[in-house]
Amino acid sequence: MTTDLNQTIPFSFTSPEFFKNPYPFYDKLRSIHPIYWGNLLKYPGWYVTGYEEAIAILKDTRFKNRIPLPQTSKKYERLKNTQNDMMLFKNQPDHKRLRLLVSNVFTPRMVEHLRPYIQETVNDLLQQFQNKKTMDVVSDLAFPLASLIIAKIIGVPQEERYQFREWAASLIQTIDFTRSRKALDNGNAITIILRDYFKELIKRRKHSPEEDLVSLLIKEEQQGDRLTDEELLATCILLVIAGHETTVNLISNSILTLLKHPHQLMDLKEKPLLIEGAVEEFLRYESPTQMTARIASEDIEIHQTTIKKGDQVYILLGAANRDPNKFHDPHLFDITRNPNPHLAFGYGTHFCLGAPLARLETQITIKSLLVWKDNLQLAAPDLQWRKMIGFRSLNELQIIFD
């Protein structure tokens, strides 16, 4: 069974209405077919909006990852080669090898040890607005927090940590499906800067190790294997991207969602122990990562749909997380929802390695914000979302408070 390529395309991924609220469009697409064949991006492919269909594809290793740039691209060669060494775009057995080496260092226990520093950083950022009446959650809280935390983890000296904000914002544009030539030009240039920066940092840590991720990755060895210098560079740059984008989006989207649901906000304020479940619902309801892509390495049948070798597959995580066949009343925001098996961090072998860190940063930020000020409100109802398809990301989030 396949869907008809000649069917009327139900919506455009580049329309203002889509960026403002993609979920009605996802519903319409799912109503046609949970695995829909169409030309909604630059190239035709399969668009997966069903939850069970998404899981089936994400756990099937016959669907391969690929770097966003074509292998023939010469203009952005430094960016392309660096992405090619990133764990995010690797397939088995290379992915398993890299993930084992990195995951033995970047552990949930290491993340938990950061709790005091995260709390201190959140407190410091909020204190700067103690005598003010307004704040941009994105630029004043979420982004600097993510920058400072991931830079500390990597081992970047404190005085250099704020440099990473602009670098991360530019690099994320290079892996989104809306990327422009200008974004790729900027990304390639920033990749060169970052490579030079991390080469020097790695050189220093090889000579004088410290208790940071770079030092630990340098000495980490599994069964006689260790990261090459190129893989180490690519891992550091990947952490700069991933350590910012998911966390910034998650914190900002969570605060927005709470402010739009004041009764749920009050429940969480009165019952702070609900925070862990609340963060899971934030992840489901406004998934920071909305899409991931695969390519079929052979003809594969998924839920009575034949996907041909070489076909592009776009898995809409934000749509799967609102599939009514999996979630009761999926468009209802409920911080007590249980169970909540969302796919916001992916599924299977490529499940997001940074999930514990994003969860912890968001839990601490939301709890701290709710006890910091009363009467938090949106400054204006009109919100500007960044024009990205793969990520649900606000340009800014102005809030007011007493």
Side-chain angles (χ1 to χ4, degrees), residues 122-233:
V122 171
N123 292 345
D124 288 346
L125 290 168
L126 292 177
Q127 183 61 36
Q128 295 174 28
F129 291 84
Q130 185 63 38
N131 299 318
K132 298 182 180 181
K133 300 292 185 181
T134 185
M135 167 196 289
D136 175 11
V137 168
V138 177
S139 65
D140 296 330
L141 182 59
F143 218 127
L145 174 66
S147 293
L148 292 167
I149 300 305
I150 198 61
K152 177 179 174 61
I153 288 171
I154 294 172
V156 174
Q158 188 165 356
E159 63 274 12
E160 300 174 5
R161 289 175 188 173
Y162 278 98
Q163 296 179 19
F164 284 77
R165 297 172 63 176
E166 182 180 345
W167 291 342
S170 295
L171 284 174
I172 197 64
Q173 297 283 347
T174 69
I175 63 174
D176 190 68
F177 300 96
T178 59
R179 57 187 173 271
S180 63
R181 290 182 180 179
K182 181 179 178 181
L184 292 172
D185 285 337
N186 290 340
N188 196 69
I190 289 170
T191 298
I192 293 171
I193 294 171
L194 276 169
R195 286 176 63 87
D196 289 342
Y197 180 89
F198 281 121
K199 279 181 181 178
E200 181 59 32
L201 181 62
I202 291 166
K203 181 180 177 180
R204 295 202 305 267
R205 291 299 185 264
K206 283 182 176 180
H207 184 262
S208 300
E210 296 186 11
E211 289 302 314
D212 55 48
L213 193 68
V214 170
S215 299
L216 295 173
L217 286 172
I218 288 170
K219 67 181 181 181
E220 177 63 24
E221 183 174 329
Q222 290 292 320
Q223 299 175 343
D225 184 28
R226 61 176 67 238
L227 294 176
T228 66
D229 285 350
E230 287 298 314
E231 290 168 345
L232 185 53
L233 279 171

Side-chain angles (χ1 to χ4, degrees), residues 6 12 49 62 78 97 119 203 236 323 340 360-361:
N6 296 316
S12 168
T49 53
R62 293 175 297 174
R78 187 59 72 188
R97 171 185 157 267
Q119 184 67 70
K203 181 180 177 180
C236 290
D323 185 347
N340 195 348
L360 183 60
E361 288 185 59

Side-chain angles (χ1 to χ4, degrees), residues 24 48 67 83 102-103 108 142 172 182 185 187 205 207 213 226 249 260 294 308 339 364 375-376 378 383 388 393 396:
V48 182
I67 65 169
Q83 289 179 341
V102 177
S103 63
I172 197 64
K182 181 179 178 181
D185 285 337
R205 291 299 185 264
H207 184 262
L213 193 68
R226 61 176 67 238
N249 294 350
K260 291 170 71 174
R294 298 289 189 270
K308 297 290 188 180
I364 291 174
N375 199 26
L376 297 169
L378 289 174
L383 300 167
M388 294 198 296
S393 179
E396 61 178 16

Side-chain angles (χ1 to χ4, degrees), residues 306-374:
T306 301
I307 298 175
K308 297 290 188 180
K309 179 179 179 179
D311 283 354
Q312 301 292 329
V313 181
Y314 302 103
I315 304 152
L316 297 162
L317 301 173
N321 286 338
R322 294 207 188 190
D323 185 347
N325 292 319
K326 184 63 179 182
F327 298 97
H328 175 70
D329 208 349
H331 297 303
L332 175 70
F333 174 68
D334 179 8
I335 61 173
T336 65
R337 185 182 293 272
N338 185 34
N340 195 348
H342 62 78
L343 303 179
F345 290 122
Y347 188 86
T349 58
H350 280 273
F351 184 85
C352 178
L353 200 59
L357 179 61
R359 284 177 164 127
L360 183 60
E361 288 185 59
T362 306
Q363 290 169 16
I364 291 174
T365 301
I366 299 295
K367 286 180 67 175
S368 301
L369 188 66
L370 293 185
V371 300
W372 177 62
K373 292 283 187 180
D374 290 321

Side-chain angles (χ1 to χ4, degrees), residues 105-130:
V105 172
F106 192 62
T107 63
R109 182 179 180 185
M110 183 211 74
V111 169
E112 183 59 34
H113 284 163
L114 287 166
R115 182 181 290 271
Y117 180 75
I118 297 172
Q119 184 67 70
E120 177 187 346
T121 305
V122 171
N123 292 345
D124 288 346
L125 290 168
L126 292 177
Q127 183 61 36
Q128 295 174 28
F129 291 84
Q130 185 63 38

